[in-house]
Amino acid sequence: MKNLDALVRPNINDLKPYSSARDEFSGSASVYLDANENPYNDPFNRYPDPMQWELKKRVSEIKGVDAENIFLGNGSDEAIDLLFRAFCEPKVDNILTIAPTYGMYQVCADINNTPVKKVSLNDDFSLDAAKVLAACDDNTKIVFLCSPNNPSGNLLASKEVAEILSRFEGLVVVDEAYIDFCPVASWLPNLKDYPNLVVLQTFSKAWGMAAIRLGMAFASQEIISVLNKIKYPYNINILTQQVAQELLSDTENMQGWVEILLSEREKMVGELEEIAMVEKIYPSDANFLLVKIRKAKEVYDALVGKGIIVRDRSRVELCADSLRITVGTPEENKVLLEELKAMS
Ligand SMILES: *Cc1c(COP(=O)(O)O)cnc(C)c1O
């Protein structure tokens, strides 16, 4: 990896961050007259902890990563955007993504005026590290890998990811939004081995908290400090911090949901295989299935007509005629399968 100072944009290296009232005094006191808050309407009158230490302590216990190596964002999408703003000089630097993959990397790149190099996955959606490394140049700052990948659903082979981590000189972001569906495959235990590794996770999927907007980035203290330096001072509001604490007190609930969803996914695979217009069901390590189906667009529209919404991914690279179907409750899945059988 290059020296971190050489990777960070010069203006960010030079930046003197905003110092909030809660940054300048963070102990406990009895009279707070430092932040121009209204003294009435407790507890919503006070600005929240800008660094969310209580919540990070809990996340640290659950994930086995020190609080100093954790960044919390307004969804993991915030961390993605901040990575661009910290590391990619507009029109000068570039990033690399695999294809197909999660659409937000491209959108954030476009917003930040950063060119994107795309490297296609193999036909079975597997990753070729040599192709990725060959496509990088001196101005490539970040390689985005998504594992399990969205929309294909598969984990990327750890040997290929490790090769990119050891040979690429910029940051490697491994987006693990779906890792709770296959926790042993996480890269979190390898953070200490790779100073250029950034792992993204979220509470939006397996944890069932998409509405409160809370995502995580895990990396070296140096990288986390850069993100903290440029984030909005109070990026995680108090409602989110409180609800997250409550819901994170019980991890068994989440594990129970994951068990149900994984067993439902396998049941759906079995039933989809029996449907004639289904041509291929790609193996999934996540809570969704990518399904190649004859006349996918017509099937999609017909499902909409029945009030059932799946995601048409037909225009996405390597996904011609493919629908991405999220695993729902047993009742929801049954309704979908019955409609598909009726159309076949
Ligand atoms: C859903 C998803 C996210 C989610 O992000 P949040 O902003 O945390 O809700 C991130 N990455 C991938 C690949 C996703 O599919």
Side-chain angles (χ1 to χ4, degrees), residues 307-342:
I308 302 165
I309 317 300
V310 297
R311 197 87 195 265
D312 183 7
R313 298 282 75 185
S314 299
R315 286 166 314 235
V316 172
E317 183 161 354
L318 302 179
C319 299
D321 271 320
S322 299
L323 302 180
R324 193 193 69 191
I325 304 173
T326 307
V327 179
T329 64
E331 297 72 29
E332 290 170 331
N333 304 332
K334 188 159 163 274
V335 172
L336 169 84
L337 288 161
E338 276 169 5
E339 288 300 341
L340 284 177
K341 281 177 199 159

PDB file of all heavy atoms in Angstrom, residues 307-342:
ATOM      1  N   GLY A 307     -49.404  -7.143  -7.870  1.00  0.00           N
ATOM      2  CA  GLY A 307     -48.993  -6.490  -6.617  1.00  0.00           C
ATOM      3  C   GLY A 307     -47.723  -7.076  -6.008  1.00  0.00           C
ATOM      4  O   GLY A 307     -47.433  -6.873  -4.836  1.00  0.00           O
ATOM      5  N   ILE A 308     -46.955  -7.811  -6.821  1.00  0.00           N
ATOM      6  CA  ILE A 308     -45.720  -8.428  -6.313  1.00  0.00           C
ATOM      7  C   ILE A 308     -44.535  -7.776  -7.024  1.00  0.00           C
ATOM      8  O   ILE A 308     -44.433  -7.818  -8.254  1.00  0.00           O
ATOM      9  CB  ILE A 308     -45.700  -9.945  -6.599  1.00  0.00           C
ATOM     10  CG1 ILE A 308     -46.919 -10.601  -5.944  1.00  0.00           C
ATOM     11  CG2 ILE A 308     -44.393 -10.574  -6.120  1.00  0.00           C
ATOM     12  CD1 ILE A 308     -47.192 -12.008  -6.446  1.00  0.00           C
ATOM     13  N   ILE A 309     -43.634  -7.174  -6.258  1.00  0.00           N
ATOM     14  CA  ILE A 309     -42.536  -6.431  -6.866  1.00  0.00           C
ATOM     15  C   ILE A 309     -41.220  -7.163  -6.642  1.00  0.00           C
ATOM     16  O   ILE A 309     -40.806  -7.395  -5.502  1.00  0.00           O
ATOM     17  CB  ILE A 309     -42.421  -5.003  -6.264  1.00  0.00           C
ATOM     18  CG1 ILE A 309     -43.798  -4.356  -6.117  1.00  0.00           C
ATOM     19  CG2 ILE A 309     -41.480  -4.139  -7.101  1.00  0.00           C
ATOM     20  CD1 ILE A 309     -44.582  -4.191  -7.398  1.00  0.00           C
ATOM     21  N   VAL A 310     -40.565  -7.529  -7.737  1.00  0.00           N
ATOM     22  CA  VAL A 310     -39.196  -8.043  -7.662  1.00  0.00           C
ATOM     23  C   VAL A 310     -38.327  -7.037  -8.411  1.00  0.00           C
ATOM     24  O   VAL A 310     -38.816  -5.999  -8.854  1.00  0.00           O
ATOM     25  CB  VAL A 310     -39.090  -9.472  -8.269  1.00  0.00           C
ATOM     26  CG1 VAL A 310     -39.939 -10.437  -7.467  1.00  0.00           C
ATOM     27  CG2 VAL A 310     -39.462  -9.470  -9.744  1.00  0.00           C
ATOM     28  N   ARG A 311     -37.034  -7.316  -8.573  1.00  0.00           N
ATOM     29  CA  ARG A 311     -36.164  -6.346  -9.243  1.00  0.00           C
ATOM     30  C   ARG A 311     -35.761  -6.903 -10.592  1.00  0.00           C
ATOM     31  O   ARG A 311     -35.180  -7.995 -10.669  1.00  0.00           O
ATOM     32  CB  ARG A 311     -34.920  -6.119  -8.355  1.00  0.00           C
ATOM     33  CG  ARG A 311     -34.118  -4.881  -8.682  1.00  0.00           C
ATOM     34  CD  ARG A 311     -34.664  -3.678  -7.944  1.00  0.00           C
ATOM     35  NE  ARG A 311     -34.151  -2.424  -8.514  1.00  0.00           N
ATOM     36  CZ  ARG A 311     -33.092  -1.766  -8.066  1.00  0.00           C
ATOM     37  NH1 ARG A 311     -32.419  -2.211  -7.028  1.00  0.00           N
ATOM     38  NH2 ARG A 311     -32.719  -0.636  -8.644  1.00  0.00           N
ATOM     39  N   ASP A 312     -36.060  -6.160 -11.657  1.00  0.00           N
ATOM     40  CA  ASP A 312     -35.661  -6.583 -13.003  1.00  0.00           C
ATOM     41  C   ASP A 312     -34.218  -6.133 -13.235  1.00  0.00           C
ATOM     42  O   ASP A 312     -33.937  -4.944 -13.303  1.00  0.00           O
ATOM     43  CB  ASP A 312     -36.603  -5.945 -14.031  1.00  0.00           C
ATOM     44  CG  ASP A 312     -36.277  -6.414 -15.444  1.00  0.00           C
ATOM     45  OD1 ASP A 312     -35.434  -7.317 -15.584  1.00  0.00           O
ATOM     46  OD2 ASP A 312     -36.870  -5.874 -16.400  1.00  0.00           O
ATOM     47  N   ARG A 313     -33.312  -7.064 -13.366  1.00  0.00           N
ATOM     48  CA  ARG A 313     -31.891  -6.734 -13.559  1.00  0.00           C
ATOM     49  C   ARG A 313     -31.448  -7.018 -15.002  1.00  0.00           C
ATOM     50  O   ARG A 313     -30.258  -7.101 -15.293  1.00  0.00           O
ATOM     51  CB  ARG A 313     -31.008  -7.540 -12.588  1.00  0.00           C
ATOM     52  CG  ARG A 313     -31.258  -7.275 -11.119  1.00  0.00           C
ATOM     53  CD  ARG A 313     -30.634  -5.982 -10.622  1.00  0.00           C
ATOM     54  NE  ARG A 313     -31.331  -4.784 -11.020  1.00  0.00           N
ATOM     55  CZ  ARG A 313     -30.908  -3.552 -10.784  1.00  0.00           C
ATOM     56  NH1 ARG A 313     -29.774  -3.348 -10.158  1.00  0.00           N
ATOM     57  NH2 ARG A 313     -31.597  -2.502 -11.192  1.00  0.00           N
ATOM     58  N   SER A 314     -32.420  -7.156 -15.916  1.00  0.00           N
ATOM     59  CA  SER A 314     -32.127  -7.602 -17.286  1.00  0.00           C
ATOM     60  C   SER A 314     -31.150  -6.719 -18.036  1.00  0.00           C
ATOM     61  O   SER A 314     -30.435  -7.180 -18.908  1.00  0.00           O
ATOM     62  CB  SER A 314     -33.423  -7.663 -18.093  1.00  0.00           C
ATOM     63  OG  SER A 314     -34.285  -8.594 -17.496  1.00  0.00           O
ATOM     64  N   ARG A 315     -31.109  -5.432 -17.704  1.00  0.00           N
ATOM     65  CA  ARG A 315     -30.222  -4.539 -18.439  1.00  0.00           C
ATOM     66  C   ARG A 315     -28.819  -4.498 -17.852  1.00  0.00           C
ATOM     67  O   ARG A 315     -27.949  -3.798 -18.349  1.00  0.00           O
ATOM     68  CB  ARG A 315     -30.810  -3.123 -18.477  1.00  0.00           C
ATOM     69  CG  ARG A 315     -31.995  -2.983 -19.439  1.00  0.00           C
ATOM     70  CD  ARG A 315     -32.704  -1.693 -19.154  1.00  0.00           C
ATOM     71  NE  ARG A 315     -32.875  -1.579 -17.708  1.00  0.00           N
ATOM     72  CZ  ARG A 315     -34.036  -1.383 -17.099  1.00  0.00           C
ATOM     73  NH1 ARG A 315     -35.121  -1.223 -17.781  1.00  0.00           N
ATOM     74  NH2 ARG A 315     -34.105  -1.326 -15.780  1.00  0.00           N
ATOM     75  N   VAL A 316     -28.603  -5.227 -16.785  1.00  0.00           N
ATOM     76  CA  VAL A 316     -27.302  -5.216 -16.113  1.00  0.00           C
ATOM     77  C   VAL A 316     -26.381  -6.251 -16.762  1.00  0.00           C
ATOM     78  O   VAL A 316     -26.841  -7.317 -17.192  1.00  0.00           O
ATOM     79  CB  VAL A 316     -27.510  -5.516 -14.602  1.00  0.00           C
ATOM     80  CG1 VAL A 316     -26.193  -5.715 -13.888  1.00  0.00           C
ATOM     81  CG2 VAL A 316     -28.323  -4.410 -13.955  1.00  0.00           C
ATOM     82  N   GLU A 317     -25.093  -5.909 -16.839  1.00  0.00           N
ATOM     83  CA  GLU A 317     -24.106  -6.798 -17.455  1.00  0.00           C
ATOM     84  C   GLU A 317     -24.175  -8.231 -16.895  1.00  0.00           C
ATOM     85  O   GLU A 317     -24.268  -8.417 -15.682  1.00  0.00           O
ATOM     86  CB  GLU A 317     -22.710  -6.210 -17.198  1.00  0.00           C
ATOM     87  CG  GLU A 317     -21.627  -7.007 -17.862  1.00  0.00           C
ATOM     88  CD  GLU A 317     -20.338  -6.207 -18.002  1.00  0.00           C
ATOM     89  OE1 GLU A 317     -20.321  -5.004 -17.690  1.00  0.00           O
ATOM     90  OE2 GLU A 317     -19.357  -6.821 -18.435  1.00  0.00           O
ATOM     91  N   LEU A 318     -24.129  -9.211 -17.792  1.00  0.00           N
ATOM     92  CA  LEU A 318     -24.173 -10.648 -17.455  1.00  0.00           C
ATOM     93  C   LEU A 318     -25.502 -11.093 -16.839  1.00  0.00           C
ATOM     94  O   LEU A 318     -25.637 -12.232 -16.397  1.00  0.00           O
ATOM     95  CB  LEU A 318     -23.034 -11.058 -16.496  1.00  0.00           C
ATOM     96  CG  LEU A 318     -21.583 -10.815 -16.914  1.00  0.00           C
ATOM     97  CD1 LEU A 318     -20.626 -11.286 -15.807  1.00  0.00           C
ATOM     98  CD2 LEU A 318     -21.254 -11.533 -18.214  1.00  0.00           C
ATOM     99  N   CYS A 319     -26.492 -10.208 -16.812  1.00  0.00           N
ATOM    100  CA  CYS A 319     -27.766 -10.536 -16.148  1.00  0.00           C
ATOM    101  C   CYS A 319     -28.961 -10.494 -17.110  1.00  0.00           C
ATOM    102  O   CYS A 319     -30.091 -10.284 -16.675  1.00  0.00           O
ATOM    103  CB  CYS A 319     -28.038  -9.584 -14.981  1.00  0.00           C
ATOM    104  SG  CYS A 319     -26.799  -9.633 -13.695  1.00  0.00           S
ATOM    105  N   ALA A 320     -28.722 -10.686 -18.418  1.00  0.00           N
ATOM    106  CA  ALA A 320     -29.829 -10.645 -19.380  1.00  0.00           C
ATOM    107  C   ALA A 320     -30.958 -11.555 -18.902  1.00  0.00           C
ATOM    108  O   ALA A 320     -30.716 -12.668 -18.415  1.00  0.00           O
ATOM    109  CB  ALA A 320     -29.327 -11.089 -20.751  1.00  0.00           C
ATOM    110  N   ASP A 321     -32.186 -11.069 -19.033  1.00  0.00           N
ATOM    111  CA  ASP A 321     -33.363 -11.863 -18.656  1.00  0.00           C
ATOM    112  C   ASP A 321     -33.316 -12.384 -17.223  1.00  0.00           C
ATOM    113  O   ASP A 321     -33.719 -13.512 -16.960  1.00  0.00           O
ATOM    114  CB  ASP A 321     -33.547 -13.039 -19.628  1.00  0.00           C
ATOM    115  CG  ASP A 321     -34.413 -12.627 -20.815  1.00  0.00           C
ATOM    116  OD1 ASP A 321     -35.400 -11.888 -20.598  1.00  0.00           O
ATOM    117  OD2 ASP A 321     -34.103 -13.025 -21.950  1.00  0.00           O
ATOM    118  N   SER A 322     -32.825 -11.546 -16.318  1.00  0.00           N
ATOM    119  CA  SER A 322     -32.721 -12.023 -14.933  1.00  0.00           C
ATOM    120  C   SER A 322     -33.482 -11.127 -13.962  1.00  0.00           C
ATOM    121  O   SER A 322     -33.438  -9.905 -14.061  1.00  0.00           O
ATOM    122  CB  SER A 322     -31.251 -12.085 -14.489  1.00  0.00           C
ATOM    123  OG  SER A 322     -30.548 -12.992 -15.311  1.00  0.00           O
ATOM    124  N   LEU A 323     -34.171 -11.767 -13.046  1.00  0.00           N
ATOM    125  CA  LEU A 323     -34.867 -11.063 -11.978  1.00  0.00           C
ATOM    126  C   LEU A 323     -34.150 -11.346 -10.666  1.00  0.00           C
ATOM    127  O   LEU A 323     -33.697 -12.462 -10.433  1.00  0.00           O
ATOM    128  CB  LEU A 323     -36.321 -11.559 -11.868  1.00  0.00           C
ATOM    129  CG  LEU A 323     -37.192 -11.428 -13.115  1.00  0.00           C
ATOM    130  CD1 LEU A 323     -38.599 -11.970 -12.832  1.00  0.00           C
ATOM    131  CD2 LEU A 323     -37.279  -9.973 -13.584  1.00  0.00           C
ATOM    132  N   ARG A 324     -34.043 -10.315  -9.842  1.00  0.00           N
ATOM    133  CA  ARG A 324     -33.473 -10.512  -8.505  1.00  0.00           C
ATOM    134  C   ARG A 324     -34.635 -10.546  -7.518  1.00  0.00           C
ATOM    135  O   ARG A 324     -35.406  -9.591  -7.422  1.00  0.00           O
ATOM    136  CB  ARG A 324     -32.511  -9.372  -8.143  1.00  0.00           C
ATOM    137  CG  ARG A 324     -31.654  -9.673  -6.901  1.00  0.00           C
ATOM    138  CD  ARG A 324     -30.965  -8.439  -6.383  1.00  0.00           C
ATOM    139  NE  ARG A 324     -31.936  -7.505  -5.824  1.00  0.00           N
ATOM    140  CZ  ARG A 324     -31.674  -6.237  -5.475  1.00  0.00           C
ATOM    141  NH1 ARG A 324     -30.465  -5.746  -5.658  1.00  0.00           N
ATOM    142  NH2 ARG A 324     -32.607  -5.476  -4.968  1.00  0.00           N
ATOM    143  N   ILE A 325     -34.738 -11.664  -6.835  1.00  0.00           N
ATOM    144  CA  ILE A 325     -35.880 -11.883  -5.949  1.00  0.00           C
ATOM    145  C   ILE A 325     -35.405 -11.959  -4.500  1.00  0.00           C
ATOM    146  O   ILE A 325     -34.615 -12.833  -4.145  1.00  0.00           O
ATOM    147  CB  ILE A 325     -36.611 -13.197  -6.331  1.00  0.00           C
ATOM    148  CG1 ILE A 325     -37.029 -13.150  -7.810  1.00  0.00           C
ATOM    149  CG2 ILE A 325     -37.802 -13.441  -5.410  1.00  0.00           C
ATOM    150  CD1 ILE A 325     -37.614 -14.460  -8.329  1.00  0.00           C
ATOM    151  N   THR A 326     -35.888 -11.034  -3.675  1.00  0.00           N
ATOM    152  CA  THR A 326     -35.562 -11.056  -2.238  1.00  0.00           C
ATOM    153  C   THR A 326     -36.365 -12.153  -1.563  1.00  0.00           C
ATOM    154  O   THR A 326     -37.544 -12.361  -1.897  1.00  0.00           O
ATOM    155  CB  THR A 326     -35.927  -9.698  -1.600  1.00  0.00           C
ATOM    156  OG1 THR A 326     -35.307  -8.656  -2.339  1.00  0.00           O
ATOM    157  CG2 THR A 326     -35.469  -9.630  -0.149  1.00  0.00           C
ATOM    158  N   VAL A 327     -35.746 -12.866  -0.629  1.00  0.00           N
ATOM    159  CA  VAL A 327     -36.473 -13.876   0.140  1.00  0.00           C
ATOM    160  C   VAL A 327     -37.331 -13.160   1.180  1.00  0.00           C
ATOM    161  O   VAL A 327     -36.827 -12.352   1.967  1.00  0.00           O
ATOM    162  CB  VAL A 327     -35.490 -14.845   0.839  1.00  0.00           C
ATOM    163  CG1 VAL A 327     -36.255 -15.888   1.651  1.00  0.00           C
ATOM    164  CG2 VAL A 327     -34.579 -15.513  -0.180  1.00  0.00           C
ATOM    165  N   GLY A 328     -38.628 -13.429   1.163  1.00  0.00           N
ATOM    166  CA  GLY A 328     -39.547 -12.785   2.103  1.00  0.00           C
ATOM    167  C   GLY A 328     -40.004 -13.756   3.178  1.00  0.00           C
ATOM    168  O   GLY A 328     -39.322 -14.757   3.469  1.00  0.00           O
ATOM    169  N   THR A 329     -41.157 -13.492   3.769  1.00  0.00           N
ATOM    170  CA  THR A 329     -41.734 -14.432   4.739  1.00  0.00           C
ATOM    171  C   THR A 329     -42.222 -15.665   3.978  1.00  0.00           C
ATOM    172  O   THR A 329     -42.448 -15.606   2.760  1.00  0.00           O
ATOM    173  CB  THR A 329     -42.949 -13.817   5.458  1.00  0.00           C
ATOM    174  OG1 THR A 329     -43.975 -13.573   4.469  1.00  0.00           O
ATOM    175  CG2 THR A 329     -42.595 -12.522   6.170  1.00  0.00           C
ATOM    176  N   PRO A 330     -42.446 -16.791   4.675  1.00  0.00           N
ATOM    177  CA  PRO A 330     -42.963 -17.983   3.999  1.00  0.00           C
ATOM    178  C   PRO A 330     -44.243 -17.673   3.217  1.00  0.00           C
ATOM    179  O   PRO A 330     -44.416 -18.156   2.089  1.00  0.00           O
ATOM    180  CB  PRO A 330     -43.231 -18.961   5.151  1.00  0.00           C
ATOM    181  CG  PRO A 330     -42.252 -18.557   6.214  1.00  0.00           C
ATOM    182  CD  PRO A 330     -42.119 -17.063   6.089  1.00  0.00           C
ATOM    183  N   GLU A 331     -45.111 -16.828   3.780  1.00  0.00           N
ATOM    184  CA  GLU A 331     -46.375 -16.499   3.099  1.00  0.00           C
ATOM    185  C   GLU A 331     -46.105 -15.708   1.821  1.00  0.00           C
ATOM    186  O   GLU A 331     -46.691 -15.988   0.770  1.00  0.00           O
ATOM    187  CB  GLU A 331     -47.288 -15.674   4.023  1.00  0.00           C
ATOM    188  CG  GLU A 331     -47.750 -16.387   5.289  1.00  0.00           C
ATOM    189  CD  GLU A 331     -46.645 -16.573   6.330  1.00  0.00           C
ATOM    190  OE1 GLU A 331     -45.701 -15.743   6.377  1.00  0.00           O
ATOM    191  OE2 GLU A 331     -46.698 -17.564   7.091  1.00  0.00           O
ATOM    192  N   GLU A 332     -45.216 -14.720   1.901  1.00  0.00           N
ATOM    193  CA  GLU A 332     -44.906 -13.909   0.716  1.00  0.00           C
ATOM    194  C   GLU A 332     -44.287 -14.763  -0.382  1.00  0.00           C
ATOM    195  O   GLU A 332     -44.628 -14.638  -1.568  1.00  0.00           O
ATOM    196  CB  GLU A 332     -43.936 -12.773   1.101  1.00  0.00           C
ATOM    197  CG  GLU A 332     -44.572 -11.700   1.962  1.00  0.00           C
ATOM    198  CD  GLU A 332     -43.562 -10.715   2.548  1.00  0.00           C
ATOM    199  OE1 GLU A 332     -42.392 -11.103   2.772  1.00  0.00           O
ATOM    200  OE2 GLU A 332     -43.946  -9.551   2.779  1.00  0.00           O
ATOM    201  N   ASN A 333     -43.366 -15.643   0.007  1.00  0.00           N
ATOM    202  CA  ASN A 333     -42.700 -16.484  -0.984  1.00  0.00           C
ATOM    203  C   ASN A 333     -43.696 -17.425  -1.662  1.00  0.00           C
ATOM    204  O   ASN A 333     -43.597 -17.694  -2.857  1.00  0.00           O
ATOM    205  CB  ASN A 333     -41.574 -17.287  -0.322  1.00  0.00           C
ATOM    206  CG  ASN A 333     -40.576 -16.368   0.376  1.00  0.00           C
ATOM    207  OD1 ASN A 333     -40.403 -15.215  -0.024  1.00  0.00           O
ATOM    208  ND2 ASN A 333     -39.945 -16.867   1.428  1.00  0.00           N
ATOM    209  N   LYS A 334     -44.661 -17.889  -0.873  1.00  0.00           N
ATOM    210  CA  LYS A 334     -45.669 -18.805  -1.405  1.00  0.00           C
ATOM    211  C   LYS A 334     -46.509 -18.086  -2.468  1.00  0.00           C
ATOM    212  O   LYS A 334     -46.773 -18.631  -3.541  1.00  0.00           O
ATOM    213  CB  LYS A 334     -46.554 -19.282  -0.247  1.00  0.00           C
ATOM    214  CG  LYS A 334     -47.523 -20.375  -0.581  1.00  0.00           C
ATOM    215  CD  LYS A 334     -47.958 -21.116   0.698  1.00  0.00           C
ATOM    216  CE  LYS A 334     -49.221 -21.920   0.458  1.00  0.00           C
ATOM    217  NZ  LYS A 334     -50.461 -21.117   0.638  1.00  0.00           N
ATOM    218  N   VAL A 335     -46.892 -16.843  -2.171  1.00  0.00           N
ATOM    219  CA  VAL A 335     -47.690 -16.069  -3.127  1.00  0.00           C
ATOM    220  C   VAL A 335     -46.913 -15.881  -4.426  1.00  0.00           C
ATOM    221  O   VAL A 335     -47.433 -16.089  -5.527  1.00  0.00           O
ATOM    222  CB  VAL A 335     -48.053 -14.687  -2.523  1.00  0.00           C
ATOM    223  CG1 VAL A 335     -48.708 -13.794  -3.568  1.00  0.00           C
ATOM    224  CG2 VAL A 335     -48.968 -14.853  -1.316  1.00  0.00           C
ATOM    225  N   LEU A 336     -45.640 -15.514  -4.313  1.00  0.00           N
ATOM    226  CA  LEU A 336     -44.815 -15.320  -5.510  1.00  0.00           C
ATOM    227  C   LEU A 336     -44.738 -16.602  -6.331  1.00  0.00           C
ATOM    228  O   LEU A 336     -44.952 -16.589  -7.550  1.00  0.00           O
ATOM    229  CB  LEU A 336     -43.391 -14.885  -5.103  1.00  0.00           C
ATOM    230  CG  LEU A 336     -42.398 -14.933  -6.272  1.00  0.00           C
ATOM    231  CD1 LEU A 336     -42.474 -13.651  -7.089  1.00  0.00           C
ATOM    232  CD2 LEU A 336     -40.982 -15.207  -5.809  1.00  0.00           C
ATOM    233  N   LEU A 337     -44.429 -17.720  -5.658  1.00  0.00           N
ATOM    234  CA  LEU A 337     -44.246 -18.981  -6.379  1.00  0.00           C
ATOM    235  C   LEU A 337     -45.542 -19.426  -7.046  1.00  0.00           C
ATOM    236  O   LEU A 337     -45.544 -19.918  -8.174  1.00  0.00           O
ATOM    237  CB  LEU A 337     -43.712 -20.052  -5.427  1.00  0.00           C
ATOM    238  CG  LEU A 337     -42.241 -19.824  -5.034  1.00  0.00           C
ATOM    239  CD1 LEU A 337     -41.875 -20.597  -3.777  1.00  0.00           C
ATOM    240  CD2 LEU A 337     -41.302 -20.182  -6.187  1.00  0.00           C
ATOM    241  N   GLU A 338     -46.676 -19.205  -6.386  1.00  0.00           N
ATOM    242  CA  GLU A 338     -47.960 -19.591  -6.983  1.00  0.00           C
ATOM    243  C   GLU A 338     -48.226 -18.789  -8.248  1.00  0.00           C
ATOM    244  O   GLU A 338     -48.678 -19.336  -9.262  1.00  0.00           O
ATOM    245  CB  GLU A 338     -49.092 -19.398  -5.973  1.00  0.00           C
ATOM    246  CG  GLU A 338     -49.213 -20.595  -5.050  1.00  0.00           C
ATOM    247  CD  GLU A 338     -50.143 -20.350  -3.869  1.00  0.00           C
ATOM    248  OE1 GLU A 338     -50.782 -19.270  -3.811  1.00  0.00           O
ATOM    249  OE2 GLU A 338     -50.212 -21.240  -2.995  1.00  0.00           O
ATOM    250  N   GLU A 339     -47.918 -17.494  -8.202  1.00  0.00           N
ATOM    251  CA  GLU A 339     -48.134 -16.651  -9.391  1.00  0.00           C
ATOM    252  C   GLU A 339     -47.209 -17.091 -10.530  1.00  0.00           C
ATOM    253  O   GLU A 339     -47.625 -17.160 -11.685  1.00  0.00           O
ATOM    254  CB  GLU A 339     -47.899 -15.173  -9.059  1.00  0.00           C
ATOM    255  CG  GLU A 339     -48.980 -14.546  -8.195  1.00  0.00           C
ATOM    256  CD  GLU A 339     -50.378 -14.576  -8.811  1.00  0.00           C
ATOM    257  OE1 GLU A 339     -50.498 -14.755 -10.045  1.00  0.00           O
ATOM    258  OE2 GLU A 339     -51.356 -14.430  -8.059  1.00  0.00           O
ATOM    259  N   LEU A 340     -45.950 -17.382 -10.199  1.00  0.00           N
ATOM    260  CA  LEU A 340     -45.012 -17.803 -11.244  1.00  0.00           C
ATOM    261  C   LEU A 340     -45.471 -19.117 -11.871  1.00  0.00           C
ATOM    262  O   LEU A 340     -45.413 -19.303 -13.086  1.00  0.00           O
ATOM    263  CB  LEU A 340     -43.602 -17.952 -10.661  1.00  0.00           C
ATOM    264  CG  LEU A 340     -42.836 -16.659 -10.379  1.00  0.00           C
ATOM    265  CD1 LEU A 340     -41.491 -16.967  -9.729  1.00  0.00           C
ATOM    266  CD2 LEU A 340     -42.632 -15.829 -11.644  1.00  0.00           C
ATOM    267  N   LYS A 341     -45.939 -20.048 -11.027  1.00  0.00           N
ATOM    268  CA  LYS A 341     -46.413 -21.331 -11.555  1.00  0.00           C
ATOM    269  C   LYS A 341     -47.614 -21.130 -12.462  1.00  0.00           C
ATOM    270  O   LYS A 341     -47.729 -21.752 -13.521  1.00  0.00           O
ATOM    271  CB  LYS A 341     -46.806 -22.273 -10.393  1.00  0.00           C
ATOM    272  CG  LYS A 341     -45.593 -22.924  -9.747  1.00  0.00           C
ATOM    273  CD  LYS A 341     -46.012 -23.788  -8.563  1.00  0.00           C
ATOM    274  CE  LYS A 341     -44.811 -24.030  -7.676  1.00  0.00           C
ATOM    275  NZ  LYS A 341     -45.190 -24.406  -6.312  1.00  0.00           N
ATOM    276  N   ALA A 342     -48.497 -20.196 -12.068  1.00  0.00           N
ATOM    277  CA  ALA A 342     -49.696 -19.943 -12.864  1.00  0.00           C
ATOM    278  C   ALA A 342     -49.350 -19.352 -14.234  1.00  0.00           C
ATOM    279  O   ALA A 342     -50.062 -19.552 -15.215  1.00  0.00           O
ATOM    280  CB  ALA A 342     -50.633 -19.015 -12.106  1.00  0.00           C
TER     281      ALA A 342
END
